[in-house]
Amino acid sequence: MEVRRQIDVSGIVQGVGFRPYVYRLATGRRLRGTIRNTPAGVTIEIQGPEETVQDFVDRLPAEAPPLARITSLAVHDLPCDDVPCNDDRHFLIVHSHEDEEVRTLISPDVAICPDCLGELFDPNDRRYRYPFINCTNCGPRFTIIRDIPYDRPSTSMAMFRMCPACLAEYENPLDRRFHAQPNACWECGPRVELWDKSGGKIECRDPIAEAVSGLHAGLVVAVKGLGGFHLAVDATKAAAVARLRERKRRVEKPFAVMVPDLRAAAGICELDGEAPTVLQSIQRPIVLLPKKSSGVIPDDVAPFNRYLGIFLPYTPLHYLLLAEGGFKALVMTSGNLSEEPIAIDNREAVDRLHGLADYFLVHNRDILLRCDDSVVRVAGGVTRQLRRSRGFVPVPVFLKDDQASVLAVGGELKNTICLTKGKHAFLSQHVGDLENVESYSFFHEAIEHLERILEIRPEIIAYDLHPDYFSTKWALQQSGVKLAGVQHHHAHIASCMAENHLEGRVIGFALDGTGYGADGNIWGGEALIAGYEDFERAAHFEYVPLPGGAAAIREPWRMAVSYLAHHFGREFLKLDIPFVRQLNRPKVDLLLRMMEQGVNSPLTSSCGRLFDAVAALVGIRQKVNYEAQAAVELEMAMASSDEDTAYPMKLAPEPVAENNHWVISTRPLFEALLDDLGRNVSVAAISRRFHNGLVAGFVELATLLRKTTALNRVCLSGGTFHNVYLSERLEARLSEAGFEVFTQKEVPSGDGGLSLGQAVVAAAKMRGVGVN
Ligand SMILES: [Zn+2]
Ligand SMILES: [Zn+2]
Ligand SMILES: [Zn+2]
């Protein structure tokens, strides 16, 4: 029987080869019909024998091109007795006037596809060794878009006029390069050049071969990638790695390493479970994996760390560099100085990376928007985002319900922004630490660019309550829009709720380093009873002073002194443990006086600072060189045993508050820990007992809160959950105790995911007061 059906597909289905794919699927089955772009995606009309049409509908999502992301697919019958959807046996791609009006989802930048890779290394292909080979299934998108709609004139490819051969591919619906906007070749496309350290062009026949010899000689080469410059050195050469560290002024913070293929990856890291799939995924994130003691990679690449961040090449240029140099691994770190944003423009790179790079491998396809590499970890079969950026942005996080358009401006560190429209929450790429001027201007750029290409005019701006955050100050200067302040840890929990599509109220554990509290103190070890609209603080770590404010974050020994003085008074100075013996007494006296008089010693319930105190006490680290270093190294020091001993914590009712408000006392924990230190228990065992103690304490707390609230769902969020052992064990123990546990996967649990939570909270608050 002949049938006719209409199929409405929404999601990322434009600019990703979807229409030619449908064309091939239909003509291959001799079905008649049309496909056209619509504002939401595409609409297909299809006619033919019922069985064949059904087969077409079934296969449609299953075999879609790699970049397509179908979010909904609605099929309904059309009367067959109408004029056939097309004049005869053909299937047509309809180019309507509406095409120019079309507003739809934009694809992220993705890695070179297997077809293009085959051509790249095929001496008979016309694009043999062409560093910008791409097709509709791969290549740059987000970082080359100036404006919408996404077609060539609104990208940085506008200046390159396609040669006849490229144009023929571009116009042929059956070609893999049909409407591939960055399509190019040796004849007509961008070119690579090698520049010296001052930006002078080096005349040579083969810039890539020259760059390779530089790397072999141990030099630092700045390489222009998809979302910015990398600084590259041969990762197997300790002296080159040391030179890069020194020039980049990056002390001890791990470098990521690019390896040529999966086999090379398996030589230096443990590739269990999902790891190979994630490494080879089109997003090509940096994946944190357990290091092997291979002897290939010097320790200095990731000192004091059991993990190494590795990734596979994702541009044709990367593949050419690695293949032609025969490198086992290249350090590929963001082209910037310490925490500044990554450099993208050729001249900007020469200026900003002056003195860092010996060579610049540049090209003339402009990067319009910087976008750092994404970082994920794979544990327990789950991939979690640590930094969600290239390859993922601007794919939205899909929300459960439509909501008002909100611009959420994120926090201060690891900043991202978030724009919502309907059911879509678009998080920006990693913007970075707003404390420095360059990041702050990138913050403006990211807002402006995202609003333009997504065509979102927010009704509400959501911001953190911290009065000193640059993002907060910026938000408060905006006019003609509603403003909503959102408490930091409420935003963390709401972020977790939103990506898990939760409604109602949950028990939320928000553990991190720093967040401005509703009482003006610095929170960070919080149990909330939260919904989107509001929250109640159910419990928190007992307050201790943060002596010296920001200095206490850089110098964990101050936190150890703070905790010891808080629990034991000046008596702690008599303790016969290495930590106390090595203290600088005049400095400690000053610190104690500061705390006693309440000078520059704000109160904090931060979980991150508790980790710092313990790390300093056991002698792991007195000063840090990068954020969370002490906590990371305390986790790394843990013994891999199955010891279950846990330091005790005590839950006490909050003295002044009404019911249901608890303070988590850390005194028993420190007593037990000092006991162990006195008995020379190993640091590895102490670290494990400390982690176990936190887990046991929070399971006990959850059980208590379940009794009083009848809530059984627990959300875990905050930067502390980047700690693998803590998050896996807490999730497991809560599940064993019958809780439904929700964690973050799509966006980071750290401050990189904060903007999502701010957006959904602000929208809910506005609904609550009837604004929306
Ligand atoms: Zn391709
Ligand atoms: Zn061409
Ligand atoms: Zn936070």
Side-chain angles (χ1 to χ4, degrees):
M1 197 182 74
E2 183 100 346
V3 295
R4 183 166 170 213
R5 292 201 172 126
Q6 177 176 328
I7 309 161
D8 296 312
V9 187
S10 46
I12 302 179
V13 287
Q14 295 179 16
V16 293
F18 196 77
R19 288 180 298 170
Y21 154 70
V22 172
Y23 179 92
R24 285 192 297 272
L25 201 64
T27 48
R29 286 170 180 67
R30 297 173 174 277
L31 292 169
R32 284 167 288 150
T34 57
I35 179 167
R36 70 182 76 225
N37 281 340
T38 64
V42 295
T43 290
I44 303 162
E45 281 190 31
I46 194 89
Q47 181 161 342
E50 183 170 14
E51 234 169 75
T52 320
V53 167
Q54 195 49 50
D55 177 61
F56 171 87
V57 173
D58 292 345
R59 277 174 197 271
L60 189 63
E63 292 168 9
L67 297 191
R69 181 154 168 187
I70 297 174
T71 55
S72 82
L73 195 149
V75 185
H76 57 263
D77 290 323
L78 293 174
C80 240
D81 48 347
D82 267 7
V83 190
C85 28
N86 204 337
D87 45 4
D88 50 23
R89 272 163 297 281
H90 291 105
F91 188 90
L92 266 190
I93 295 177
V94 181
H95 296 276
S96 61
H97 222 47
E98 281 163 30
D99 269 16
E100 278 133 58
E101 293 289 306
V102 162
R103 306 289 177 241
T104 186
L105 303 179
I106 293 162
S107 163
D109 303 292
V110 292
I112 180 172
C113 73
D115 290 335
C116 287
L117 196 55
E119 292 170 356
L120 181 67
F121 289 108
D122 174 4
N124 298 317
D125 193 273
R126 72 184 188 95
R127 292 189 180 86
Y128 176 55
R129 297 188 72 247
Y130 182 57
F132 303 93
I133 186 168
N134 69 83
C135 70
T136 40
N137 299 327
C138 71
R141 295 284 188 283
F142 176 61
T143 53
I144 59 165
I145 295 178
R146 183 172 285 117
D147 210 339
I148 52 166
Y150 171 61
D151 52 26
R152 195 153 168 133
S154 42
T155 69
S156 60
M157 285 299 292
M159 60 181 274
F160 302 99
R161 204 188 151 91
M162 266 186 271
C163 69
C166 285
L167 193 63
E169 294 165 338
Y170 183 87
E171 287 175 342
N172 176 6
L174 288 178
D175 196 280
R176 209 173 84 237
R177 298 192 165 91
F178 175 65
H179 282 195
Q181 306 303 347
N183 190 27
C185 73
W186 283 114
E187 278 301 308
C188 63
R191 293 297 180 105
V192 167
E193 287 181 2
L194 189 69
W195 292 3
D196 64 24
K197 61 182 178 194
S198 314
K201 182 180 171 184
I202 296 175
E203 293 300 338
C204 59
R205 211 180 50 81
D206 187 344
I208 296 176
E210 288 296 313
V212 162
S213 356
L215 288 166
H216 278 308
L219 300 180
V220 179
V221 180
V223 181
K224 190 169 178 180
L226 270 184
F229 276 81
H230 282 112
L231 290 168
V233 294
D234 183 343
T236 62
K237 290 190 162 61
V241 175
R243 186 173 305 132
L244 179 60
R245 272 207 185 283
E246 193 191 304
R247 291 189 190 170
K248 213 184 159 190
R249 284 185 245 151
R250 177 152 157 154
V251 187
E252 292 174 347
K253 188 171 178 181
F255 283 135
V257 161
M258 185 178 276
V259 292
D261 51 33
L262 221 46
R263 235 186 68 201
I268 55 178
C269 285
E270 308 284 350
L271 301 190
D272 298 333
E274 295 294 293
T277 314
V278 180
L279 279 168
Q280 290 179 295
S281 65
I282 54 172
Q283 294 88 2
R284 292 285 205 283
I286 295 170
V287 187
L288 294 189
L289 291 168
K291 267 197 263 193
K292 275 184 180 168
S293 46
S294 58
V296 176
I297 306 290
D299 275 348
D300 193 26
V301 170
F304 313 109
N305 205 311
R306 288 209 299 255
Y307 291 77
L308 184 65
I310 59 172
F311 56 152
L312 296 185
Y314 52 87
T315 68
L317 184 57
H318 293 154
Y319 272 101
L320 291 169
L321 268 179
L322 282 155
E324 297 187 3
F327 297 108
K328 287 192 181 122
L330 290 177
V331 164
M332 289 286 255
T333 186
S334 313
N336 57 10
L337 196 63
S338 58
E339 303 298 323
E340 288 177 5
I342 188 166
I344 54 173
D345 179 75
N346 295 345
R347 287 293 154 195
E348 176 205 4
V350 171
D351 282 351
R352 285 184 44 210
L353 305 180
H354 188 78
L356 271 73
D358 299 299
Y359 284 130
F360 291 84
L361 192 58
V362 301
H363 58 71
N364 54 345
R365 185 180 70 198
D366 286 342
I367 300 170
L368 296 180
L369 204 65
R370 60 196 89 228
C371 196
D372 284 86
D373 293 318
S374 293
V375 185
V376 303
R377 75 174 160 80
V378 187
V382 184
T383 306
R384 293 182 200 278
Q385 294 283 349
L386 300 181
R387 182 167 78 194
R388 184 183 185 272
S389 212
R390 177 189 47 76
F392 297 96
V393 173
V395 176
V397 173
F398 294 92
L399 303 172
K400 187 159 180 285
D401 298 305
D402 282 342
Q403 67 159 45
S405 283
V406 182
L407 163 64
V409 296
E412 179 86 336
L413 302 179
K414 300 185 166 56
N415 179 277
T416 62
I417 61 149
C418 174
L419 275 167
T420 62
K421 182 184 193 175
K423 284 190 178 65
H424 296 147
F426 299 93
L427 276 87
S428 72
Q429 67 274 48
H430 170 76
V431 175
D433 298 353
L434 297 187
E435 289 160 336
N436 67 62
V437 182
E438 283 82 3
S439 300
Y440 189 53
S441 62
F442 179 28
F443 167 78
H444 289 142
E445 225 179 288
I447 292 175
E448 198 233 341
H449 191 260
L450 219 51
E451 284 187 356
R452 186 172 60 240
I453 63 168
L454 300 171
E455 288 210 307
I456 300 178
R457 299 281 160 272
E459 305 160 44
I460 305 166
I461 296 181
Y463 60 92
D464 192 274
L465 295 180
H466 200 305
D468 298 334
Y469 280 5
F470 283 105
S471 53
T472 304
K473 289 181 186 164
W474 180 86
L476 293 174
Q477 285 160 10
Q478 307 308 305
S479 55
V481 59
K482 293 165 211 121
L483 295 171
V486 180
Q487 199 279 325
H488 190 97
H489 302 93
H490 186 201
H492 274 309
I493 297 304
S495 175
C496 180
M497 290 177 70
E499 74 156 277
N500 287 292
H501 291 186
L502 302 183
E503 295 282 358
R505 296 181 92 68
V506 301
I507 297 171
F509 293 150
L511 307 182
D512 65 3
T514 301
Y516 193 80
D519 60 0
N521 292 324
I522 298 168
W523 295 7
E526 310 302 313
L528 311 181
I529 303 299
Y532 291 115
E533 204 178 317
D534 54 14
F535 73 96
E536 184 192 324
R537 193 184 194 197
H540 62 87
F541 279 122
E542 74 179 296
Y543 282 131
V544 293
L546 187 70
I553 299 174
R554 289 190 299 270
E555 300 180 4
W557 70 270
R558 290 172 182 247
M559 285 317 298
V561 168
S562 174
Y563 267 103
L564 294 178
H566 174 77
H567 288 310
F568 313 109
R570 285 186 179 244
E571 285 296 293
F572 87 85
L573 289 166
K574 295 181 188 149
L575 286 170
D576 186 24
I577 54 170
F579 173 77
V580 174
R581 285 198 299 269
Q582 52 86 46
L583 281 174
N584 174 326
R585 278 306 290 268
K587 266 191 179 175
V588 172
D589 286 335
L590 189 71
L591 208 67
L592 290 171
R593 274 205 305 280
M594 260 171 67
M595 290 192 283
E596 282 156 10
Q597 294 162 11
V599 177
N600 196 13
S601 300
L603 293 178
T604 186
S605 56
S606 162
C607 188
R609 299 293 85 77
L610 177 60
F611 268 89
D612 286 354
V614 172
L617 256 180
V618 300
I620 284 182
R621 188 150 288 280
Q622 310 304 323
K623 287 183 183 168
V624 297
N625 293 307
Y626 61 90
E627 202 211 345
Q629 185 179 14
V632 167
E633 291 178 9
L634 183 61
E635 181 191 359
M636 295 305 137
M638 201 184 321
S640 46
S641 70
D642 37 14
E643 181 187 313
D644 258 346
T645 313
Y647 292 144
M649 293 197 292
K650 207 175 121 221
L651 294 172
E654 173 91 276
V656 283
E658 302 95 77
N659 24 347
N660 277 347
H661 193 165
W662 303 83
V663 172
I664 310 162
S665 167
T666 49
R667 183 178 169 122
L669 182 162
F670 279 94
E671 283 170 347
L673 194 156
L674 289 176
D675 236 37
D676 276 355
L677 275 179
R679 291 187 294 122
N680 288 321
V681 173
S682 71
V683 169
I686 291 178
S687 169
R688 195 176 180 91
R689 292 172 186 184
F690 168 68
H691 280 81
N692 290 348
L694 291 179
V695 170
F698 280 102
V699 173
E700 190 192 337
L701 180 59
T703 310
L704 189 80
L705 294 174
R706 175 163 60 186
K707 272 198 200 116
T708 54
T709 62
L711 296 173
N712 196 48
R713 296 179 302 177
V714 182
C715 284
L716 306 179
S717 188
T720 303
F721 288 107
H722 288 176
N723 181 314
V724 180
Y725 181 80
L726 182 79
S727 34
E728 288 191 349
R729 190 176 169 103
L730 181 54
E731 193 178 344
R733 292 295 153 97
L734 284 168
S735 302
E736 283 163 25
F739 289 97
E740 262 190 282
V741 189
F742 299 90
T743 57
Q744 304 219 257
K745 300 172 195 75
E746 273 196 78
V747 304
S749 66
D751 285 3
L754 204 64
S755 57
L756 171 63
Q758 292 175 337
V760 291
V761 168
K765 278 181 194 287
M766 292 298 174
R767 270 200 302 277
V769 296
V771 173
N772 185 28

PDB file of all heavy atoms in Angstrom, residues 278-294:
ATOM      1  N   VAL A 278      36.107   7.445  24.273  1.00  0.00           N
ATOM      2  CA  VAL A 278      36.101   8.882  24.547  1.00  0.00           C
ATOM      3  C   VAL A 278      37.293   9.553  23.857  1.00  0.00           C
ATOM      4  O   VAL A 278      37.156  10.628  23.263  1.00  0.00           O
ATOM      5  CB  VAL A 278      36.125   9.147  26.067  1.00  0.00           C
ATOM      6  CG1 VAL A 278      36.114  10.636  26.348  1.00  0.00           C
ATOM      7  CG2 VAL A 278      34.927   8.482  26.741  1.00  0.00           C
ATOM      8  N   LEU A 279      38.453   8.907  23.898  1.00  0.00           N
ATOM      9  CA  LEU A 279      39.638   9.478  23.238  1.00  0.00           C
ATOM     10  C   LEU A 279      39.395   9.657  21.744  1.00  0.00           C
ATOM     11  O   LEU A 279      39.817  10.638  21.146  1.00  0.00           O
ATOM     12  CB  LEU A 279      40.851   8.564  23.445  1.00  0.00           C
ATOM     13  CG  LEU A 279      41.571   8.682  24.780  1.00  0.00           C
ATOM     14  CD1 LEU A 279      42.552   7.525  24.954  1.00  0.00           C
ATOM     15  CD2 LEU A 279      42.318  10.014  24.882  1.00  0.00           C
ATOM     16  N   GLN A 280      38.693   8.697  21.137  1.00  0.00           N
ATOM     17  CA  GLN A 280      38.476   8.741  19.690  1.00  0.00           C
ATOM     18  C   GLN A 280      37.209   9.472  19.284  1.00  0.00           C
ATOM     19  O   GLN A 280      36.909   9.581  18.101  1.00  0.00           O
ATOM     20  CB  GLN A 280      38.406   7.311  19.140  1.00  0.00           C
ATOM     21  CG  GLN A 280      39.743   6.598  19.162  1.00  0.00           C
ATOM     22  CD  GLN A 280      39.622   5.187  18.639  1.00  0.00           C
ATOM     23  OE1 GLN A 280      38.961   4.351  19.239  1.00  0.00           O
ATOM     24  NE2 GLN A 280      40.252   4.919  17.509  1.00  0.00           N
ATOM     25  N   SER A 281      36.442   9.967  20.251  1.00  0.00           N
ATOM     26  CA  SER A 281      35.185  10.628  19.925  1.00  0.00           C
ATOM     27  C   SER A 281      35.454  11.877  19.093  1.00  0.00           C
ATOM     28  O   SER A 281      36.553  12.425  19.122  1.00  0.00           O
ATOM     29  CB  SER A 281      34.439  11.009  21.214  1.00  0.00           C
ATOM     30  OG  SER A 281      35.185  11.976  21.913  1.00  0.00           O
ATOM     31  N   ILE A 282      34.435  12.341  18.362  1.00  0.00           N
ATOM     32  CA  ILE A 282      34.633  13.495  17.480  1.00  0.00           C
ATOM     33  C   ILE A 282      34.977  14.758  18.261  1.00  0.00           C
ATOM     34  O   ILE A 282      35.554  15.685  17.718  1.00  0.00           O
ATOM     35  CB  ILE A 282      33.392  13.756  16.586  1.00  0.00           C
ATOM     36  CG1 ILE A 282      32.122  13.892  17.422  1.00  0.00           C
ATOM     37  CG2 ILE A 282      33.239  12.674  15.550  1.00  0.00           C
ATOM     38  CD1 ILE A 282      30.918  14.341  16.606  1.00  0.00           C
ATOM     39  N   GLN A 283      34.663  14.800  19.553  1.00  0.00           N
ATOM     40  CA  GLN A 283      34.990  15.985  20.356  1.00  0.00           C
ATOM     41  C   GLN A 283      36.464  16.018  20.729  1.00  0.00           C
ATOM     42  O   GLN A 283      36.988  17.082  21.047  1.00  0.00           O
ATOM     43  CB  GLN A 283      34.153  16.018  21.645  1.00  0.00           C
ATOM     44  CG  GLN A 283      32.671  16.216  21.427  1.00  0.00           C
ATOM     45  CD  GLN A 283      31.931  14.914  21.221  1.00  0.00           C
ATOM     46  OE1 GLN A 283      32.521  13.838  21.267  1.00  0.00           O
ATOM     47  NE2 GLN A 283      30.638  14.990  20.962  1.00  0.00           N
ATOM     48  N   ARG A 284      37.119  14.859  20.756  1.00  0.00           N
ATOM     49  CA  ARG A 284      38.539  14.737  21.101  1.00  0.00           C
ATOM     50  C   ARG A 284      38.927  15.560  22.336  1.00  0.00           C
ATOM     51  O   ARG A 284      39.803  16.432  22.255  1.00  0.00           O
ATOM     52  CB  ARG A 284      39.434  15.193  19.951  1.00  0.00           C
ATOM     53  CG  ARG A 284      39.412  14.332  18.733  1.00  0.00           C
ATOM     54  CD  ARG A 284      40.190  13.030  18.906  1.00  0.00           C
ATOM     55  NE  ARG A 284      40.657  12.521  17.624  1.00  0.00           N
ATOM     56  CZ  ARG A 284      39.902  11.892  16.719  1.00  0.00           C
ATOM     57  NH1 ARG A 284      38.625  11.682  16.955  1.00  0.00           N
ATOM     58  NH2 ARG A 284      40.424  11.459  15.586  1.00  0.00           N
ATOM     59  N   PRO A 285      38.291  15.290  23.469  1.00  0.00           N
ATOM     60  CA  PRO A 285      38.692  16.025  24.672  1.00  0.00           C
ATOM     61  C   PRO A 285      40.022  15.508  25.199  1.00  0.00           C
ATOM     62  O   PRO A 285      40.483  14.432  24.796  1.00  0.00           O
ATOM     63  CB  PRO A 285      37.572  15.683  25.657  1.00  0.00           C
ATOM     64  CG  PRO A 285      37.118  14.327  25.236  1.00  0.00           C
ATOM     65  CD  PRO A 285      37.281  14.265  23.734  1.00  0.00           C
ATOM     66  N   ILE A 286      40.612  16.287  26.106  1.00  0.00           N
ATOM     67  CA  ILE A 286      41.724  15.782  26.906  1.00  0.00           C
ATOM     68  C   ILE A 286      41.099  14.847  27.940  1.00  0.00           C
ATOM     69  O   ILE A 286      40.142  15.224  28.622  1.00  0.00           O
ATOM     70  CB  ILE A 286      42.453  16.941  27.619  1.00  0.00           C
ATOM     71  CG1 ILE A 286      43.103  17.870  26.582  1.00  0.00           C
ATOM     72  CG2 ILE A 286      43.469  16.416  28.613  1.00  0.00           C
ATOM     73  CD1 ILE A 286      43.649  19.168  27.170  1.00  0.00           C
ATOM     74  N   VAL A 287      41.612  13.620  28.033  1.00  0.00           N
ATOM     75  CA  VAL A 287      41.039  12.650  28.963  1.00  0.00           C
ATOM     76  C   VAL A 287      42.062  12.370  30.064  1.00  0.00           C
ATOM     77  O   VAL A 287      43.212  12.042  29.770  1.00  0.00           O
ATOM     78  CB  VAL A 287      40.684  11.329  28.239  1.00  0.00           C
ATOM     79  CG1 VAL A 287      39.928  10.400  29.183  1.00  0.00           C
ATOM     80  CG2 VAL A 287      39.849  11.599  26.989  1.00  0.00           C
ATOM     81  N   LEU A 288      41.636  12.542  31.323  1.00  0.00           N
ATOM     82  CA  LEU A 288      42.542  12.241  32.435  1.00  0.00           C
ATOM     83  C   LEU A 288      42.512  10.742  32.681  1.00  0.00           C
ATOM     84  O   LEU A 288      41.462  10.174  32.969  1.00  0.00           O
ATOM     85  CB  LEU A 288      42.101  12.973  33.708  1.00  0.00           C
ATOM     86  CG  LEU A 288      42.176  14.496  33.688  1.00  0.00           C
ATOM     87  CD1 LEU A 288      41.916  15.044  35.089  1.00  0.00           C
ATOM     88  CD2 LEU A 288      43.537  14.972  33.191  1.00  0.00           C
ATOM     89  N   LEU A 289      43.692  10.117  32.558  1.00  0.00           N
ATOM     90  CA  LEU A 289      43.755   8.663  32.703  1.00  0.00           C
ATOM     91  C   LEU A 289      44.937   8.285  33.595  1.00  0.00           C
ATOM     92  O   LEU A 289      45.930   9.013  33.658  1.00  0.00           O
ATOM     93  CB  LEU A 289      43.930   8.026  31.324  1.00  0.00           C
ATOM     94  CG  LEU A 289      42.714   8.142  30.392  1.00  0.00           C
ATOM     95  CD1 LEU A 289      43.087   7.760  28.972  1.00  0.00           C
ATOM     96  CD2 LEU A 289      41.565   7.269  30.902  1.00  0.00           C
ATOM     97  N   PRO A 290      44.829   7.128  34.276  1.00  0.00           N
ATOM     98  CA  PRO A 290      45.928   6.707  35.160  1.00  0.00           C
ATOM     99  C   PRO A 290      47.220   6.489  34.359  1.00  0.00           C
ATOM    100  O   PRO A 290      47.218   5.809  33.342  1.00  0.00           O
ATOM    101  CB  PRO A 290      45.434   5.382  35.743  1.00  0.00           C
ATOM    102  CG  PRO A 290      43.950   5.368  35.508  1.00  0.00           C
ATOM    103  CD  PRO A 290      43.690   6.196  34.300  1.00  0.00           C
ATOM    104  N   LYS A 291      48.301   7.096  34.856  1.00  0.00           N
ATOM    105  CA  LYS A 291      49.606   6.993  34.192  1.00  0.00           C
ATOM    106  C   LYS A 291      50.178   5.586  34.343  1.00  0.00           C
ATOM    107  O   LYS A 291      50.025   4.971  35.380  1.00  0.00           O
ATOM    108  CB  LYS A 291      50.604   7.914  34.928  1.00  0.00           C
ATOM    109  CG  LYS A 291      50.746   9.290  34.389  1.00  0.00           C
ATOM    110  CD  LYS A 291      52.037   9.932  34.935  1.00  0.00           C
ATOM    111  CE  LYS A 291      51.788  10.820  36.126  1.00  0.00           C
ATOM    112  NZ  LYS A 291      52.916  11.678  36.494  1.00  0.00           N
ATOM    113  N   LYS A 292      50.894   5.129  33.330  1.00  0.00           N
ATOM    114  CA  LYS A 292      51.700   3.911  33.470  1.00  0.00           C
ATOM    115  C   LYS A 292      53.128   4.357  33.707  1.00  0.00           C
ATOM    116  O   LYS A 292      53.530   5.417  33.221  1.00  0.00           O
ATOM    117  CB  LYS A 292      51.666   3.117  32.177  1.00  0.00           C
ATOM    118  CG  LYS A 292      50.491   2.186  32.019  1.00  0.00           C
ATOM    119  CD  LYS A 292      50.670   1.395  30.719  1.00  0.00           C
ATOM    120  CE  LYS A 292      49.525   0.440  30.500  1.00  0.00           C
ATOM    121  NZ  LYS A 292      49.566  -0.105  29.135  1.00  0.00           N
ATOM    122  N   SER A 293      53.904   3.534  34.402  1.00  0.00           N
ATOM    123  CA  SER A 293      55.308   3.928  34.552  1.00  0.00           C
ATOM    124  C   SER A 293      56.066   3.406  33.339  1.00  0.00           C
ATOM    125  O   SER A 293      56.748   2.401  33.384  1.00  0.00           O
ATOM    126  CB  SER A 293      55.890   3.381  35.849  1.00  0.00           C
ATOM    127  OG  SER A 293      55.522   2.038  35.989  1.00  0.00           O
ATOM    128  N   SER A 294      55.876   4.110  32.224  1.00  0.00           N
ATOM    129  CA  SER A 294      56.402   3.643  30.946  1.00  0.00           C
ATOM    130  C   SER A 294      57.846   4.073  30.747  1.00  0.00           C
ATOM    131  O   SER A 294      58.587   3.490  29.969  1.00  0.00           O
ATOM    132  CB  SER A 294      55.571   4.228  29.820  1.00  0.00           C
ATOM    133  OG  SER A 294      55.611   5.650  29.906  1.00  0.00           O
TER     134      SER A 294
END
